[in-house]
Amino acid sequence: MEKIRVAIVGWGNVGRFCKKALESSPDMQLVGIVRRPESIGKDTSELAGLQVVSDIETLDKVDVALVSIPSREAPDKVKELILKGIATVDSFDVHDQILATKQALNPLAISHKTVSIFGAGWDPGTDSAIRAILKVISPIGQTTTTFGGTTGGRSMGHTAAVKAIPGVKDAVSLTLPNGAGRHKRQVYIELEPGADFEKITDQIRQDPYFIHDATDVVAVENVKRFDTMNHGGRLERLTPDIQQTYTIEGINPLMTANVMVASARAAYRAKELGQYGAFTFIERPIIDFLPGEFEEKLEGY
Amino acid sequence: MEKIRVAIVGWGNVGRFCKKALESSPDMQLVGIVRRPESIGKDTSELAGLQVVSDIETLDKVDVALVSIPSREAPDKVKELILKGIATVDSFDVHDQILATKQALNPLAISHKTVSIFGAGWDPGTDSAIRAILKVISPIGQTTTTFGGTTGGRSMGHTAAVKAIPGVKDAVSLTLPNGAGRHKRQVYIELEPGADFEKITDQIRQDPYFIHDATDVVAVENVKRFDTMNHGGRLERLTPDIQQTYTIEGINPLMTANVMVASARAAYRAKELGQYGAFTFIERPIIDFLPGEFEEKLEGY
């Protein structure tokens, strides 16, 4: 069987874990890494033996690109790849822009005969699929999603949003459960010399990522000691006749990367079937995300 | 929008809850109930106002038949309906016959240009979908499924299998967790006069439904006081880096009926798209099981 040829676009935490996830996927082959021109030549020891380029078209035949760059930059990069006819997967995490993203990417993917699976991390992504299944079993009710696992967790999307603010040298944004599906955000920042702490704090609190939640911002000498890779969530749908809960906890970029790599498989399959378009995780059959032959996919059904 | 026209085939616990589930589904319309000829005229008060027939073709235009009869009779009934070009949904629950059922029904459904979604209750069915998602997030590991909720639950499939044994007047089969994903079966039976308890006990223990589990059989005067509608399960996939659990607990035939009604929607959609065949729950996109317009389906994504 021919392997699915995958490129990783962006070399942050998620990109690094995508490489690991690909290594344990016998149906996939990592063709190369795409980075910004100014990053070429960096991280040489961990990238040893890999082709690292700034233009994806210099790589030999890429079936699917795993776009592992900050969420807000992802849709533009995805558009650029779709125009080249390359299938894409990303873990775009801005929940209230999912529909708009679908509307922007779908006609483009159709006209360029390719497939994009977007918003495909663990939340949105697999959690969204589980939320849909909870509804299938118990149609009338309310699902509560609480992030932060048992002890709070590091949100990659929120962290990246803070890091993008001028004057912020480094940052960590932790998500803490605050009851009834609400959250607190605990943001640790290292400031550039001369940066205005009050102004940056206001900017963080006004950011769409933070505007709905109680947000504490703390300036520290070094954010590293507040850092963690762990995150998690708890979904609950509790109705008088049916009670369901789902909990997930673990290494955040690993969980994201595993879902993205599985989505590359589903994107490849959709393209093979000529089912072009931009899809959320719940628009593709779950079986297409699993490796192996049909019989193996049904194992444990 | 035109409503999906649904018939319920079989009037047991699941059939009754299918009627309830349809009543709260604005996109569906219950066209009638199909029963064995000898049952026509029974249960008149609860069936008041409904068309009850023994031949589905006497009902006006059925899009989807919800086949809510004992699992072991389901595949034959489904075949019969497929030959008439009617889409079907069932909650066939014999896990190790899923692949064989697919192979038997799929070519038939394709050649008769219809759709069958089979094994579509909560387990197999939605639990199978969640097991697949747990694997997507954490590809290497083992998933443990423990049935019985917190206090043990009534298995409809096991109960029906015991009831079908000659000499058994009535029965209830309870499933109890037995550690490490293993189960005990506690079976209460009412015997017909002159029935051989030892022989029936052996027959139960040799039945594929029971052969893998420790099974206690107890003869009682009246099984009703051991009866319950509740059941549940717990899925766990615990690996060093990622931990996931899912629990479900509630009224067993209600959970089953809700999944079947949602599957009727997905079957109708597949037929509309000309994607004929027999499918497990995980072979159809989850979004197709949700009611409403595309925008509503994505709500809470």
Side-chain angles (χ1 to χ4, degrees):
Chain A
M1 211 177 100
E2 257 186 55
K3 294 195 178 193
I4 303 170
R5 298 176 59 84
V6 178
I8 297 171
V9 179
W11 193 245
N13 281 328
V14 173
R16 286 171 167 88
F17 278 101
C18 281
K19 176 172 173 276
K20 282 198 189 192
L22 289 169
E23 281 161 2
S24 54
S25 304
D27 57 340
M28 307 246 175
Q29 185 182 340
L30 176 55
V31 181
I33 313 292
V34 182
R35 301 187 75 177
R36 285 182 296 240
E38 62 271 29
S39 300
I40 304 288
K42 290 183 183 167
D43 309 305
T44 44
S45 69
E46 57 173 340
L47 290 168
L50 285 171
Q51 217 186 328
V52 183
V53 300
S54 61
D55 176 2
I56 196 167
E57 293 187 296
T58 60
L59 294 174
D60 183 31
K61 191 181 169 298
V62 173
D63 293 317
V64 189
L66 299 174
V67 179
S68 52
I69 59 177
S71 262
R72 285 176 177 166
E73 299 166 27
D76 281 345
K77 175 59 74 181
V78 165
K79 272 181 212 161
E80 189 190 311
L81 293 163
I82 288 175
L83 296 181
K84 299 182 202 291
I86 298 171
T88 68
V89 168
D90 68 65
S91 55
F92 181 74
D93 74 340
V94 187
H95 286 264
D96 59 8
Q97 287 171 27
I98 294 292
L99 187 61
T101 305
K102 166 89 185 182
Q103 288 160 344
L105 298 181
N106 195 44
L108 219 56
I110 293 170
S111 65
H112 290 79
K113 291 192 191 308
T114 193
V115 173
S116 171
I117 299 188
F118 69 98
W122 63 273
D123 202 318
T126 48
D127 270 7
S128 317
I130 291 174
R131 277 189 288 267
I133 293 173
L134 302 183
K135 256 193 239 178
V136 162
I137 300 166
S138 193
I140 296 160
Q142 188 66 34
T143 301
T144 304
T145 301
T146 308
F147 293 113
T150 47
T151 56
R154 180 185 191 276
S155 165
M156 295 190 288
H158 289 76
T159 297
V162 176
K163 280 186 182 176
I165 295 174
V168 175
K169 194 176 152 201
D170 205 354
V172 169
S173 177
L174 301 181
T175 305
L176 297 153
N178 202 14
R182 308 281 304 163
H183 297 93
K184 287 190 288 192
R185 309 284 174 185
Q186 187 77 13
V187 183
Y188 297 97
I189 53 174
E190 270 174 60
L191 294 171
E192 300 279 9
D196 181 339
F197 175 72
E198 295 302 327
K199 208 180 128 201
I200 288 171
T201 299
D202 279 351
Q203 213 174 329
I204 294 170
R205 290 192 173 135
Q206 293 308 311
D207 188 291
Y209 265 109
F210 292 91
I211 199 158
H212 302 300
D213 302 315
T215 300
D216 274 346
V217 183
V218 184
V220 295
E221 293 266 311
N222 188 331
V223 300
K224 288 285 171 277
R225 74 187 184 91
F226 301 97
D227 210 355
T228 167
M229 288 249 188
N230 281 341
H231 206 343
R234 180 181 180 84
L235 313 187
E236 292 174 287
R237 193 168 181 92
L238 309 173
T239 56
D241 295 332
I242 303 169
Q243 298 85 46
Q244 298 175 88
T245 62
Y246 167 72
T247 61
I248 175 171
E249 202 158 348
I251 299 175
N252 192 356
L254 170 63
M255 302 190 296
T256 304
N258 284 341
V259 177
M260 288 178 69
V261 166
S263 301
R265 198 174 280 131
Y268 183 82
R269 174 83 179 131
K271 206 171 166 179
E272 251 187 356
L273 293 171
Q275 295 178 2
Y276 307 125
F279 304 101
T280 57
F281 190 94
I282 64 172
E283 290 173 78
R284 302 304 314 165
I286 306 173
I287 199 166
D288 290 353
F289 294 81
L290 299 176
E293 297 298 315
F294 184 76
E295 292 70 16
E296 293 168 72
K297 292 175 203 260
L298 275 193
E299 251 171 46
Y301 183 83
Chain B
M1 212 176 100
E2 257 185 54
K3 294 194 178 196
I4 303 170
R5 298 175 60 84
V6 179
I8 297 172
V9 179
W11 192 246
N13 282 329
V14 173
R16 287 172 167 88
F17 277 101
C18 280
K19 175 172 173 276
K20 282 198 189 191
L22 288 169
E23 282 162 2
S24 54
S25 303
D27 56 339
M28 308 245 175
Q29 184 182 343
L30 176 55
V31 180
I33 313 291
V34 183
R35 301 187 74 176
R36 285 183 296 240
E38 62 271 29
S39 300
I40 303 290
K42 289 183 182 166
D43 310 304
T44 43
S45 70
E46 56 174 339
L47 289 168
L50 284 172
Q51 216 185 331
V52 184
V53 301
S54 61
D55 176 1
I56 196 166
E57 292 187 298
T58 59
L59 294 174
D60 183 30
K61 192 182 170 299
V62 173
D63 293 316
V64 189
L66 299 174
V67 179
S68 52
I69 60 177
S71 262
R72 285 176 178 167
E73 299 166 26
D76 281 345
K77 176 59 74 182
V78 165
K79 272 180 211 162
E80 190 190 310
L81 293 163
I82 288 175
L83 296 180
K84 298 182 203 292
I86 296 171
T88 68
V89 167
D90 67 65
S91 55
F92 180 74
D93 74 340
V94 188
H95 286 263
D96 58 10
Q97 287 170 29
I98 294 292
L99 186 60
T101 305
K102 165 89 188 183
Q103 286 160 346
L105 298 180
N106 195 46
L108 220 56
I110 292 170
S111 65
H112 289 78
K113 291 191 192 303
T114 192
V115 172
S116 172
I117 299 188
F118 70 98
W122 62 273
D123 201 320
T126 47
D127 270 7
S128 317
I130 291 175
R131 278 190 286 269
I133 292 173
L134 301 184
K135 258 193 239 178
V136 161
I137 299 165
S138 192
I140 297 160
Q142 189 64 36
T143 301
T144 305
T145 301
T146 309
F147 292 113
T150 46
T151 57
R154 180 185 192 277
S155 165
M156 295 189 288
H158 290 75
T159 297
V162 177
K163 279 187 182 176
I165 295 173
V168 174
K169 193 175 153 201
D170 205 353
V172 168
S173 177
L174 301 182
T175 305
L176 297 153
N178 202 14
R182 308 281 305 162
H183 298 93
K184 286 190 289 192
R185 310 284 174 185
Q186 186 77 13
V187 183
Y188 297 98
I189 53 174
E190 272 174 59
L191 294 170
E192 300 280 7
D196 181 339
F197 175 72
E198 296 301 327
K199 206 179 128 202
I200 288 172
T201 298
D202 279 350
Q203 213 173 329
I204 293 171
R205 290 193 175 135
Q206 293 308 311
D207 189 290
Y209 264 110
F210 292 92
I211 199 157
H212 303 298
D213 303 315
T215 300
D216 275 346
V217 183
V218 185
V220 296
E221 293 266 312
N222 188 332
V223 300
K224 287 285 170 280
R225 73 186 183 92
F226 301 97
D227 210 354
T228 167
M229 289 248 188
N230 280 341
H231 207 341
R234 179 180 180 84
L235 313 187
E236 292 173 286
R237 193 168 180 93
L238 308 173
T239 56
D241 294 333
I242 303 170
Q243 299 85 46
Q244 299 175 87
T245 63
Y246 167 73
T247 62
I248 174 170
E249 202 159 349
I251 299 175
N252 191 356
L254 171 63
M255 301 190 296
T256 305
N258 284 342
V259 177
M260 287 178 69
V261 167
S263 301
R265 198 174 280 130
Y268 183 82
R269 174 83 179 130
K271 206 170 167 179
E272 251 186 354
L273 293 171
Q275 295 178 0
Y276 307 125
F279 303 101
T280 57
F281 190 94
I282 63 172
E283 291 173 78
R284 302 304 313 165
I286 306 173
I287 199 165
D288 290 354
F289 294 80
L290 299 176
E293 297 298 316
F294 184 76
E295 291 70 16
E296 292 168 72
K297 292 175 203 259
L298 276 194
E299 251 170 47
Y301 183 84

